[in-house]
């Protein structure tokens, strides 16, 4: 099972990947939205913002998200780490229910380039 620090490291790596991306990925990451990622097996939520092509984690909370972010992810810690490392395909994990994504329809359309 991934630790809180490993999950936080995966989110930082994802942010770094977004910041160095180009083309469709870069434009999709240019959203300015609140973001939460609930790591279900750790019962920990990372909150922050997706802004200017970077993802900034501003808080780590115990339990589910306390406020409804504009983009909400939920998954096990091992799945988060595997997805960021490229060992887990997001679309397959989402389709099978291993990863949950909730966002507005327009945001999901833009985010599909990232995922």
């Amino acid at each position: 099972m991934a630790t809180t620090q490993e999950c936080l490291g995966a989110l930082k790596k994802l942010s770094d990947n977004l910041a160095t991306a180009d083309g469709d990925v870069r434009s999709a990451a240019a959203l300015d939205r609140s973001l939460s990622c609930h790591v279900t097996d750790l019962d920990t939520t990372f909150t922050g913002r997706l802004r200017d092509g970077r993802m900034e984690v501003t808080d780590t909370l115990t339990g589910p998200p306390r406020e409804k972010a504009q983009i909400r992810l939920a998954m096990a810690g091992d799945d988060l780490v595997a997805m960021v490392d490229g060992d887990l395909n997001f679309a397959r994990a989402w389709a099978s229910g291993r990863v949950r994504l909730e966002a507005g329809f327009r945001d999901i359309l833009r985010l599909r380039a990232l995922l």
Side-chain angles (χ1 to χ4, degrees), residues 15-27:
S15 179
D16 292 344
N17 292 346
L18 293 175
T20 60
D22 56 5
D24 291 341
V25 173
R26 181 71 177 168
S27 66

Side-chain angles (χ1 to χ4, degrees), residues 7-66:
C7 292
L8 190 57
L11 291 172
K12 182 182 178 339
K13 181 178 178 181
L14 178 58
S15 179
D16 292 344
N17 292 346
L18 293 175
T20 60
D22 56 5
D24 291 341
V25 173
R26 181 71 177 168
S27 66
L31 296 169
D32 183 5
R33 300 286 188 271
S34 59
L35 177 71
S36 69
C37 180
H38 184 226
V39 180
T40 54
D41 56 336
L42 297 175
D43 198 25
T44 299
T45 300
F46 300 98
T47 62
R49 289 202 76 78
L50 177 63
R51 180 183 317 153
D52 298 327
R54 290 199 65 90
M55 190 174 62
E56 177 187 355
V57 175
T58 56
D59 209 355
T60 303
L61 311 167
T62 300
R66 295 185 183 126

Side-chain angles (χ1 to χ4, degrees), residues 69-73 101-109 111:
Q70 292 166 306
I71 299 171
R72 299 168 302 284
L73 290 163
L101 169 66
E102 296 177 30
F105 183 71
R106 282 184 162 178
D107 288 341
I108 289 176
L109 288 176
L111 289 170

